[in-house]
Amino acid sequence: MKRIIALSSFIFLFLLAVLPANVSHAAESVNVKGISLETDNGVVKATGTGNNFILNLIGETGNVKKLVITSDNADSVTIPGEPSIGLPDITGHFFNGKLDIDKSRFLGWLDKPENAPIKQAYNYLFPQYRGTDTIVSLQDIRENFYNENVIGGYVTDINGNQSEVNITLLLEGWKFVNGKWYLYDNDAQKITRWFKVNGKWYFFNPAGDMKTGWYKEKGKWYYLDPVNGDMAIGGHKIGGKWYYFDANGVMKTGWIKLGNKWIYLDPVNGDMKIGWIKIANKWYYLDPVNGDMKTGWVKLANKWYYLDPSSGVMKTGKVKIGSKTFTFATDGHWLY
């Protein structure tokens, strides 16, 4: 239990803790210029302005080495305590515009010695706890905060003016790296399979990068949006041609029924056919715009054709329609 309390205290400090309810606002603002987190794998810089920052830890691994906060006019940062578990408020002071919290200042959870000069107070930012686990990892942070957790604290200048500081933690989700999109889970692991996000399916290659365009799996074709990567469902126009995908994203082929109309999709490529098409030695006429199979009488290039009212097959020879018999040429046009 002590380990959890101490770790939480460290993380609260590290990320400016929970915003207190009694922050007072003065006319003059106290600005934080930047926040950066250094780990043994590199430096993560928070983005943002106006004391509102985003710290993107998605996919980041390693142990914490240092937190650096910079400001032009801040004198201190205050971390609210938690009276219910005996943690007092903690205040760290800036020196030459920088609050540099390195590893030596949080190993062992040091006490603040009596009569310490005010400018040295930032060396002793933790409540008393003589723990043996002196490593704080990014995974510790993930386990203590939820994704998009908005946390904060406040900074004070030498005149007593105070301003809030807010940080949004990004711990899992999308990350754009070297022109490719990746999706990370809460253990900083890349997703490398089909994965559903906000009701849409995506596929991630074995290297973790998001797949786009056509994708074939187990003999079935799928189409993933070339920009967003989400799997296509229903009708989609691709390269000037229409394709249809079922509820599982599989590209359809052959005859399919849409509403009360039939359309025909190429048995190999899947693109919707239009105009005259020969299937199993029978001719059909498909609407040149929406591809639906025509039936009954149709006039094309000043010639009349008759297509079976049920199957859509083009008729030739003598055909009885209603009470009359009509004769059609071998190419299907009406003779008499």
Side-chain angles (χ1 to χ4, degrees), residues 118-191:
I118 190 67
K119 289 298 182 182
Q120 294 180 13
Y122 65 91
N123 287 313
Y124 306 95
L125 297 177
F126 294 92
Q128 182 177 2
Y129 176 67
R130 300 300 185 182
T132 57
D133 187 352
T134 58
I135 295 176
V136 176
S137 70
L138 292 181
Q139 190 59 27
D140 289 329
I141 295 176
R142 290 189 182 88
E143 291 173 359
N144 281 269
F145 292 94
Y146 56 83
N147 191 42
E148 298 186 2
N149 201 144
V150 179
I151 57 179
Y154 59 92
V155 284
T156 307
D157 66 14
I158 60 175
N159 297 316
N161 296 310
Q162 294 180 344
S163 295
E164 299 175 5
V165 181
N166 295 304
I167 301 176
T168 299
L169 289 180
L170 300 183
L171 304 177
E172 60 181 284
W174 294 98
K175 193 166 188 178
F176 192 64
V177 182
N178 296 327
K180 296 181 179 181
W181 282 102
Y182 298 82
L183 185 65
Y184 289 84
D185 62 19
N186 196 44
D187 293 321
Q189 298 298 308
K190 295 176 182 175
I191 302 297

Side-chain angles (χ1 to χ4, degrees), residues 48-49 107-108 115 173 223 287 335:
T49 57
L107 289 179
N115 304 317
Y223 188 74
D287 188 276
L335 294 173

Side-chain angles (χ1 to χ4, degrees), residues 46-94:
T47 59
T49 57
N51 286 12
N52 290 295
F53 294 88
I54 295 175
L55 188 61
N56 190 340
L57 300 180
I58 295 173
E60 300 291 341
T61 59
N63 299 319
V64 172
K65 294 176 64 177
K66 179 189 296 186
L67 178 74
V68 178
I69 307 172
T70 58
S71 172
D72 287 331
N73 61 347
D75 178 66
S76 66
V77 56
T78 298
I79 313 304
E82 178 50 64
S84 64
I85 56 175
L87 295 182
D89 289 353
I90 304 166
T91 298
H93 286 263
F94 287 80

